[in-house]
Amino acid sequence: MKIKDFFLMTPKKFKRIMKEQFAKPEGVAGDFFTLAMNVINFKLYNAVYNFVGKDEGSKILDVGFGNGDMLKRLDEKLDNVKLYGVDISDHMVVVATSVNQDAVDKDRMFLQNASVEELPYDDDYFDTVYTINTIYFWQDREKSLSEILRVLRPGGKFICAFYSRDYFERKKQFMSEEETYYSPRELRDVISDAGFDNAKIKVVDSKKFMYCLVCEKRGNDADADKTHGPQQL
Ligand SMILES: C[S@@+](CC[C@H](N)C(=O)[O-])C[C@H]1O[C@@H](n2cnc3c(N)ncnc32)[C@H](O)[C@@H]1O
């Protein structure tokens, strides 16, 4: 889509495109909506930041990084960590790489076009895996969660920032039959059933239906409980 067409579209078309773009951003419209998400989701970014492992040498994976804004913030804030990311949109890989060019060039950040259902990493590789505003789009949830569990080291953390089902029920224009929405309690149960330990829900902003789930891969690593928070990006 050309820039001119994007700004001239009807409200009905705008809503349809917006729904598609959240699931897999592409082209000019994808650039626009991911920039909007950087502003709208900022409280979720901060919530995730408070739980991310910041220890020297930590390896951190962002699943569904969009335009790479959260990775850029982490790269600016954290020393001596390695940042990784996967996204199913090849356009987003191009955008996020350009946003984070220095980190990519200097091997502080590694971005790939891949799905959460097939993560291109070894077992027990990451200290922390996080995902922001993406879990509704995962087609095979069991496979996705088992992949995250596989690539986390024992004692490593999984952090999932999300809008609850109530949000989507109030904003029906964002809903799609192909997506799955969760109440905080449902998501906690899903995560526990998938084999994660100590799943806890943090309320980020109840009026905006923003939540953050934090859990661990079973292990006896004493570092697993460290949260380093609260801090602001
Ligand atoms: C709503 S956007 C959120 C982007 C970013 N996390 C943020 O909060 O700004 C969802 C992102 O998840 C990606 N995505 C959707 N399904 C995915 C999957 N199965 N595996 C990896 N990424 C996926 C999309 O391409 C998109 O970039």
Side-chain angles (χ1 to χ4, degrees):
M1 179 187 288
K2 295 193 177 124
I3 294 182
K4 174 174 73 73
D5 298 334
F6 178 71
F7 286 104
L8 290 179
M9 76 179 104
T10 61
K12 198 170 161 198
K13 188 166 178 199
F14 184 82
K15 282 182 187 166
R16 182 175 57 74
I17 298 231
M18 181 164 58
K19 198 159 60 183
E20 290 165 8
Q21 291 297 332
F22 284 154
K24 191 177 181 192
E26 303 283 5
V28 178
D31 295 348
F32 174 83
F33 286 114
T34 47
L35 274 176
M37 278 184 266
N38 298 156
V39 178
I40 296 163
N41 294 339
F42 188 67
K43 282 191 176 178
L44 294 178
Y45 294 4
N46 255 327
V48 169
Y49 177 58
N50 282 323
F51 290 108
V52 161
K54 302 175 177 105
D55 298 319
E56 190 155 327
S58 286
K59 293 199 275 302
I60 301 169
L61 172 66
D62 183 332
V63 172
F65 50 69
N67 65 5
D69 185 65
M70 176 66 180
L71 284 165
K72 185 172 177 59
R73 291 170 194 272
L74 292 181
D75 180 53
E76 285 165 358
K77 284 276 177 185
L78 305 179
D79 289 327
N80 296 317
V81 300
K82 295 276 185 200
L83 298 166
Y84 295 74
V86 289
D87 200 292
I88 44 157
S89 163
D90 46 7
H91 180 65
M92 284 298 113
V93 178
V94 173
V95 172
T97 300
S98 130
V99 165
N100 292 288
Q101 197 66 59
D102 183 63
V104 169
D105 289 347
K106 296 189 176 141
D107 286 346
R108 299 193 304 275
M109 195 183 293
F110 307 88
L111 305 178
Q112 289 191 61
N113 182 210
S115 170
V116 63
E117 290 171 19
E118 214 160 327
L119 292 172
Y121 308 105
D122 291 340
D123 297 357
D124 303 340
Y125 192 70
F126 291 103
D127 300 282
T128 305
V129 177
Y130 72 85
T131 191
I132 303 174
N133 204 17
T134 66
I135 192 164
Y136 348 97
F137 310 121
W138 300 353
Q139 298 293 307
D140 186 340
R141 185 184 67 209
E142 278 72 27
K143 179 89 173 73
S144 306
L145 292 173
S146 82
E147 274 295 89
I148 290 172
L149 206 50
R150 180 183 68 74
V151 301
L152 264 182
R153 69 161 167 82
K157 264 178 284 177
F158 173 48
I159 307 159
C160 176
F162 66 105
Y163 289 87
S164 70
R165 189 190 308 114
D166 285 345
Y167 172 85
F168 292 95
E169 281 172 356
R170 278 164 179 76
K171 306 231 176 212
K172 291 223 184 319
Q173 70 269 29
F174 294 144
M175 288 186 102
S176 159
E177 281 175 10
E178 286 149 36
E179 295 164 13
T180 311
Y181 312 107
Y182 304 90
S183 71
R185 188 175 296 187
E186 278 164 356
L187 188 61
R188 195 188 57 201
D189 291 347
V190 161
I191 292 287
S192 300
D193 290 348
F196 291 87
D197 273 4
N198 291 330
K200 293 187 185 79
I201 294 282
K202 178 184 160 59
V203 181
V204 177
D205 186 333
S206 58
K207 288 196 185 122
K208 293 189 172 148
F209 308 102
M210 290 172 158
Y211 297 87
C212 187
L213 177 141
V214 187
C215 58
E216 297 161 12
K217 176 169 171 174
R218 189 162 304 144
N220 50 11
D221 190 324
D223 287 345
D225 270 342
K226 280 189 191 168
T227 60
H228 302 264
Q231 297 179 79
Q232 297 280 305
L233 274 171

CSV table of all heavy atoms in Angstrom, one decimal, residues 67-108:
chain,number,residue,atom,x,y,z
A,67,ASN,N,8.3,-3.6,15.6
A,67,ASN,CA,9.3,-2.7,15.0
A,67,ASN,C,10.6,-2.6,15.9
A,67,ASN,O,11.5,-1.8,15.6
A,67,ASN,CB,8.8,-1.3,14.8
A,67,ASN,CG,8.4,-0.6,16.0
A,67,ASN,OD1,8.6,-1.1,17.1
A,67,ASN,ND2,7.8,0.6,15.9
A,68,GLY,N,10.7,-3.4,16.9
A,68,GLY,CA,12.0,-3.5,17.7
A,68,GLY,C,12.2,-2.5,18.7
A,68,GLY,O,13.3,-2.3,19.3
A,69,ASP,N,11.1,-1.7,19.0
A,69,ASP,CA,11.3,-0.6,19.9
A,69,ASP,C,11.6,-1.0,21.4
A,69,ASP,O,12.5,-0.5,22.0
A,69,ASP,CB,10.0,0.2,20.0
A,69,ASP,CG,10.1,1.5,20.8
A,69,ASP,OD1,10.8,2.4,20.4
A,69,ASP,OD2,9.4,1.6,21.8
A,70,MET,N,11.0,-2.1,21.8
A,70,MET,CA,11.3,-2.6,23.2
A,70,MET,C,12.7,-3.1,23.3
A,70,MET,O,13.5,-2.8,24.2
A,70,MET,CB,10.3,-3.7,23.6
A,70,MET,CG,10.6,-4.4,24.9
A,70,MET,SD,10.3,-3.2,26.3
A,70,MET,CE,10.7,-4.3,27.6
A,71,LEU,N,13.2,-3.8,22.2
A,71,LEU,CA,14.6,-4.3,22.2
A,71,LEU,C,15.6,-3.1,22.2
A,71,LEU,O,16.6,-3.2,22.9
A,71,LEU,CB,14.8,-5.1,20.9
A,71,LEU,CG,14.2,-6.6,21.0
A,71,LEU,CD1,14.2,-7.2,19.6
A,71,LEU,CD2,15.0,-7.4,21.9
A,72,LYS,N,15.2,-2.0,21.5
A,72,LYS,CA,16.1,-0.9,21.5
A,72,LYS,C,16.2,-0.3,22.9
A,72,LYS,O,17.3,0.1,23.4
A,72,LYS,CB,15.5,0.2,20.5
A,72,LYS,CG,16.4,1.4,20.4
A,72,LYS,CD,16.0,2.3,19.2
A,72,LYS,CE,16.8,3.5,19.1
A,72,LYS,NZ,18.2,3.3,18.8
A,73,ARG,N,15.0,-0.2,23.6
A,73,ARG,CA,15.0,0.4,25.0
A,73,ARG,C,15.9,-0.5,25.9
A,73,ARG,O,16.7,0.0,26.7
A,73,ARG,CB,13.6,0.4,25.5
A,73,ARG,CG,12.8,1.5,24.8
A,73,ARG,CD,11.3,1.3,25.2
A,73,ARG,NE,10.4,2.1,24.4
A,73,ARG,CZ,10.1,3.4,24.5
A,73,ARG,NH1,10.6,4.0,25.6
A,73,ARG,NH2,9.3,4.0,23.7
A,74,LEU,N,15.8,-1.8,25.7
A,74,LEU,CA,16.6,-2.7,26.6
A,74,LEU,C,18.1,-2.6,26.2
A,74,LEU,O,18.9,-2.6,27.1
A,74,LEU,CB,16.2,-4.2,26.4
A,74,LEU,CG,14.8,-4.6,26.9
A,74,LEU,CD1,14.5,-6.0,26.7
A,74,LEU,CD2,14.6,-4.2,28.4
A,75,ASP,N,18.4,-2.5,24.9
A,75,ASP,CA,19.8,-2.3,24.5
A,75,ASP,C,20.4,-1.0,25.1
A,75,ASP,O,21.6,-1.0,25.5
A,75,ASP,CB,19.9,-2.3,23.0
A,75,ASP,CG,21.3,-2.1,22.5
A,75,ASP,OD1,22.1,-2.9,23.0
A,75,ASP,OD2,21.6,-1.2,21.7
A,76,GLU,N,19.6,0.0,25.2
A,76,GLU,CA,20.1,1.3,25.8
A,76,GLU,C,20.2,1.2,27.3
A,76,GLU,O,21.1,1.9,27.9
A,76,GLU,CB,19.1,2.4,25.4
A,76,GLU,CG,19.2,2.9,24.0
A,76,GLU,CD,18.1,3.7,23.5
A,76,GLU,OE1,17.1,4.0,24.3
A,76,GLU,OE2,18.1,4.1,22.3
A,77,LYS,N,19.4,0.4,28.0
A,77,LYS,CA,19.4,0.3,29.4
A,77,LYS,C,20.3,-0.7,30.0
A,77,LYS,O,20.8,-0.6,31.2
A,77,LYS,CB,18.0,0.0,29.9
A,77,LYS,CG,17.0,1.1,29.8
A,77,LYS,CD,17.2,2.0,31.1
A,77,LYS,CE,16.2,3.2,31.0
A,77,LYS,NZ,16.4,4.1,32.1
A,78,LEU,N,20.5,-1.8,29.3
A,78,LEU,CA,21.2,-3.0,29.9
A,78,LEU,C,22.7,-3.1,29.4
A,78,LEU,O,22.9,-2.9,28.2
A,78,LEU,CB,20.5,-4.3,29.6
A,78,LEU,CG,19.0,-4.3,30.0
A,78,LEU,CD1,18.4,-5.6,29.7
A,78,LEU,CD2,18.9,-4.0,31.5
A,79,ASP,N,23.6,-3.5,30.3
A,79,ASP,CA,25.0,-3.7,29.9
A,79,ASP,C,25.2,-5.2,29.8
A,79,ASP,O,24.8,-6.0,30.6
A,79,ASP,CB,25.9,-3.1,31.0
A,79,ASP,CG,25.9,-1.6,30.9
A,79,ASP,OD1,25.7,-1.0,29.8
A,79,ASP,OD2,26.0,-1.0,32.0
A,80,ASN,N,26.0,-5.5,28.8
A,80,ASN,CA,26.6,-6.9,28.8
A,80,ASN,C,25.5,-8.0,28.8
A,80,ASN,O,25.6,-9.0,29.4
A,80,ASN,CB,27.5,-7.2,29.9
A,80,ASN,CG,28.7,-6.3,29.8
A,80,ASN,OD1,29.3,-6.1,28.7
A,80,ASN,ND2,29.1,-5.7,30.9
A,81,VAL,N,24.3,-7.7,28.1
A,81,VAL,CA,23.4,-8.8,27.8
A,81,VAL,C,23.3,-9.0,26.3
A,81,VAL,O,23.7,-8.1,25.5
A,81,VAL,CB,22.0,-8.4,28.4
A,81,VAL,CG1,22.0,-8.2,29.9
A,81,VAL,CG2,21.4,-7.3,27.6
A,82,LYS,N,22.9,-10.2,25.9
A,82,LYS,CA,22.7,-10.4,24.5
A,82,LYS,C,21.2,-10.5,24.3
A,82,LYS,O,20.4,-11.2,25.0
A,82,LYS,CB,23.3,-11.8,24.1
A,82,LYS,CG,24.8,-11.8,24.3
A,82,LYS,CD,25.5,-11.3,23.0
A,82,LYS,CE,27.0,-11.4,23.2
A,82,LYS,NZ,27.7,-10.5,22.3
A,83,LEU,N,20.7,-9.7,23.3
A,83,LEU,CA,19.3,-9.6,23.0
A,83,LEU,C,19.0,-10.4,21.7
A,83,LEU,O,19.7,-10.2,20.7
A,83,LEU,CB,18.9,-8.2,22.8
A,83,LEU,CG,19.1,-7.3,24.1
A,83,LEU,CD1,19.0,-5.8,23.8
A,83,LEU,CD2,18.1,-7.7,25.2
A,84,TYR,N,17.9,-11.2,21.7
A,84,TYR,CA,17.5,-11.9,20.5
A,84,TYR,C,16.0,-11.6,20.2
A,84,TYR,O,15.3,-11.3,21.2
A,84,TYR,CB,17.7,-13.4,20.8
A,84,TYR,CG,19.1,-13.9,21.0
A,84,TYR,CD1,19.7,-13.6,22.2
A,84,TYR,CD2,19.8,-14.6,20.0
A,84,TYR,CE1,21.1,-14.0,22.4
A,84,TYR,CE2,21.1,-15.1,20.2
A,84,TYR,CZ,21.7,-14.7,21.4
A,84,TYR,OH,23.0,-15.2,21.6
A,85,GLY,N,15.6,-11.9,19.0
A,85,GLY,CA,14.2,-11.7,18.7
A,85,GLY,C,13.8,-12.5,17.5
A,85,GLY,O,14.6,-12.7,16.6
A,86,VAL,N,12.5,-12.9,17.5
A,86,VAL,CA,11.9,-13.6,16.4
A,86,VAL,C,10.6,-12.9,16.1
A,86,VAL,O,9.9,-12.4,17.0
A,86,VAL,CB,11.6,-15.1,16.6
A,86,VAL,CG1,12.9,-15.9,16.6
A,86,VAL,CG2,10.8,-15.3,17.8
A,87,ASP,N,10.3,-12.8,14.8
A,87,ASP,CA,8.9,-12.3,14.4
A,87,ASP,C,8.6,-13.0,13.1
A,87,ASP,O,9.4,-13.2,12.2
A,87,ASP,CB,9.0,-10.7,14.2
A,87,ASP,CG,7.6,-10.1,14.2
A,87,ASP,OD1,6.8,-10.4,13.3
A,87,ASP,OD2,7.3,-9.4,15.2
A,88,ILE,N,7.2,-13.2,12.9
A,88,ILE,CA,6.8,-13.9,11.7
A,88,ILE,C,6.7,-13.0,10.5
A,88,ILE,O,6.6,-13.4,9.4
A,88,ILE,CB,5.5,-14.7,11.8
A,88,ILE,CG1,4.4,-13.8,12.5
A,88,ILE,CG2,5.6,-16.0,12.3
A,88,ILE,CD1,3.0,-14.2,12.1
A,89,SER,N,6.8,-11.7,10.8
A,89,SER,CA,6.7,-10.7,9.6
A,89,SER,C,8.1,-10.4,9.2
A,89,SER,O,8.9,-9.8,9.9
A,89,SER,CB,6.0,-9.4,10.1
A,89,SER,OG,6.3,-8.4,9.2
A,90,ASP,N,8.4,-10.7,7.9
A,90,ASP,CA,9.8,-10.4,7.4
A,90,ASP,C,10.0,-8.9,7.3
A,90,ASP,O,11.1,-8.4,7.5
A,90,ASP,CB,10.1,-11.2,6.1
A,90,ASP,CG,9.0,-11.1,5.1
A,90,ASP,OD1,8.0,-10.3,5.3
A,90,ASP,OD2,9.1,-11.7,4.0
A,91,HIS,N,8.9,-8.2,7.1
A,91,HIS,CA,9.0,-6.7,7.0
A,91,HIS,C,9.4,-6.2,8.4
A,91,HIS,O,10.3,-5.3,8.5
A,91,HIS,CB,7.6,-6.1,6.6
A,91,HIS,CG,7.7,-4.6,6.6
A,91,HIS,ND1,8.4,-3.9,5.6
A,91,HIS,CD2,7.0,-3.7,7.3
A,91,HIS,CE1,8.3,-2.6,5.8
A,91,HIS,NE2,7.4,-2.4,6.9
A,92,MET,N,8.9,-6.7,9.5
A,92,MET,CA,9.3,-6.2,10.8
A,92,MET,C,10.7,-6.6,11.1
A,92,MET,O,11.4,-5.8,11.8
A,92,MET,CB,8.3,-6.9,11.9
A,92,MET,CG,7.0,-6.2,11.9
A,92,MET,SD,7.1,-4.5,12.4
A,92,MET,CE,6.5,-3.7,10.9
A,93,VAL,N,11.2,-7.7,10.6
A,93,VAL,CA,12.7,-8.0,10.8
A,93,VAL,C,13.5,-6.9,10.1
A,93,VAL,O,14.5,-6.4,10.7
A,93,VAL,CB,13.0,-9.4,10.2
A,93,VAL,CG1,14.5,-9.6,10.4
A,93,VAL,CG2,12.2,-10.5,10.9
A,94,VAL,N,13.1,-6.4,8.9
A,94,VAL,CA,13.8,-5.4,8.2
A,94,VAL,C,13.8,-4.1,9.1
A,94,VAL,O,14.8,-3.4,9.3
A,94,VAL,CB,13.3,-5.1,6.8
A,94,VAL,CG1,13.9,-3.9,6.2
A,94,VAL,CG2,13.5,-6.4,6.0
A,95,VAL,N,12.5,-3.7,9.5
A,95,VAL,CA,12.4,-2.5,10.3
A,95,VAL,C,13.1,-2.5,11.6
A,95,VAL,O,13.9,-1.6,11.9
A,95,VAL,CB,10.8,-2.2,10.5
A,95,VAL,CG1,10.7,-1.0,11.5
A,95,VAL,CG2,10.1,-2.0,9.2
A,96,ALA,N,13.0,-3.6,12.3
A,96,ALA,CA,13.6,-3.7,13.7
A,96,ALA,C,15.1,-3.7,13.5
A,96,ALA,O,15.9,-3.2,14.4
A,96,ALA,CB,13.1,-4.9,14.4
A,97,THR,N,15.6,-4.3,12.4
A,97,THR,CA,17.1,-4.4,12.2
A,97,THR,C,17.6,-2.9,12.0
A,97,THR,O,18.6,-2.5,12.5
A,97,THR,CB,17.4,-5.3,11.0
A,97,THR,OG1,17.0,-6.6,11.3
A,97,THR,CG2,18.9,-5.3,10.8
A,98,SER,N,16.8,-2.2,11.2
A,98,SER,CA,17.3,-0.8,10.9
A,98,SER,C,17.2,0.1,12.2
A,98,SER,O,18.1,0.9,12.5
A,98,SER,CB,16.5,-0.3,9.7
A,98,SER,OG,15.9,0.9,9.9
A,99,VAL,N,16.1,-0.1,13.0
A,99,VAL,CA,16.0,0.6,14.2
A,99,VAL,C,17.2,0.3,15.2
A,99,VAL,O,17.6,1.1,16.0
A,99,VAL,CB,14.6,0.2,14.9
A,99,VAL,CG1,14.6,0.7,16.4
A,99,VAL,CG2,13.5,0.9,14.1
A,100,ASN,N,17.7,-1.0,15.1
A,100,ASN,CA,18.7,-1.4,16.1
A,100,ASN,C,20.0,-1.7,15.3
A,100,ASN,O,20.8,-2.6,15.8
A,100,ASN,CB,18.2,-2.7,16.8
A,100,ASN,CG,17.0,-2.4,17.7
A,100,ASN,OD1,17.2,-1.8,18.8
A,100,ASN,ND2,15.8,-2.8,17.3
A,101,GLN,N,20.3,-1.0,14.3
A,101,GLN,CA,21.4,-1.3,13.4
A,101,GLN,C,22.8,-1.4,14.2
A,101,GLN,O,23.5,-2.4,13.9
A,101,GLN,CB,21.6,-0.3,12.3
A,101,GLN,CG,22.4,-0.8,11.1
A,101,GLN,CD,21.7,-1.9,10.4
A,101,GLN,OE1,20.6,-1.8,9.9
A,101,GLN,NE2,22.4,-3.1,10.3
A,102,ASP,N,23.0,-0.5,15.1
A,102,ASP,CA,24.3,-0.5,15.8
A,102,ASP,C,24.4,-1.8,16.6
A,102,ASP,O,25.5,-2.5,16.6
A,102,ASP,CB,24.4,0.7,16.7
A,102,ASP,CG,25.8,0.8,17.3
A,102,ASP,OD1,26.8,0.9,16.6
A,102,ASP,OD2,25.8,0.7,18.6
A,103,ALA,N,23.3,-2.2,17.3
A,103,ALA,CA,23.4,-3.4,18.2
A,103,ALA,C,23.5,-4.6,17.3
A,103,ALA,O,24.2,-5.5,17.7
A,103,ALA,CB,22.1,-3.4,19.0
A,104,VAL,N,22.9,-4.6,16.2
A,104,VAL,CA,23.0,-5.8,15.3
A,104,VAL,C,24.4,-5.9,14.7
A,104,VAL,O,25.0,-7.0,14.7
A,104,VAL,CB,21.9,-5.7,14.1
A,104,VAL,CG1,22.2,-6.8,13.1
A,104,VAL,CG2,20.5,-5.8,14.7
A,105,ASP,N,24.9,-4.8,14.3
A,105,ASP,CA,26.3,-4.8,13.7
A,105,ASP,C,27.3,-5.2,14.7
A,105,ASP,O,28.3,-5.8,14.4
A,105,ASP,CB,26.6,-3.4,13.2
A,105,ASP,CG,25.8,-3.0,11.9
A,105,ASP,OD1,25.2,-3.9,11.3
A,105,ASP,OD2,25.8,-1.8,11.5
A,106,LYS,N,27.1,-4.8,16.0
A,106,LYS,CA,28.1,-5.1,17.0
A,106,LYS,C,27.8,-6.4,17.8
A,106,LYS,O,28.3,-6.6,18.9
A,106,LYS,CB,28.3,-3.9,17.9
A,106,LYS,CG,28.8,-2.7,17.1
A,106,LYS,CD,29.2,-1.5,18.0
A,106,LYS,CE,29.8,-0.5,17.1
A,106,LYS,NZ,29.4,0.9,17.4
A,107,ASP,N,26.9,-7.2,17.3
A,107,ASP,CA,26.6,-8.5,17.9
A,107,ASP,C,26.1,-8.4,19.3
A,107,ASP,O,26.4,-9.3,20.1
A,107,ASP,CB,27.9,-9.4,17.8
A,107,ASP,CG,28.1,-10.0,16.5
A,107,ASP,OD1,27.2,-9.9,15.6
A,107,ASP,OD2,29.2,-10.5,16.2
A,108,ARG,N,25.3,-7.3,19.6
A,108,ARG,CA,24.6,-7.3,20.9
A,108,ARG,C,23.2,-7.8,20.7
A,108,ARG,O,22.5,-8.1,21.6
A,108,ARG,CB,24.6,-5.9,21.4
A,108,ARG,CG,25.9,-5.2,21.7
A,108,ARG,CD,25.7,-4.0,22.6
A,108,ARG,NE,24.8,-3.0,22.0
A,108,ARG,CZ,25.2,-2.0,21.1
A,108,ARG,NH1,26.5,-2.0,20.7
A,108,ARG,NH2,24.3,-1.2,20.6
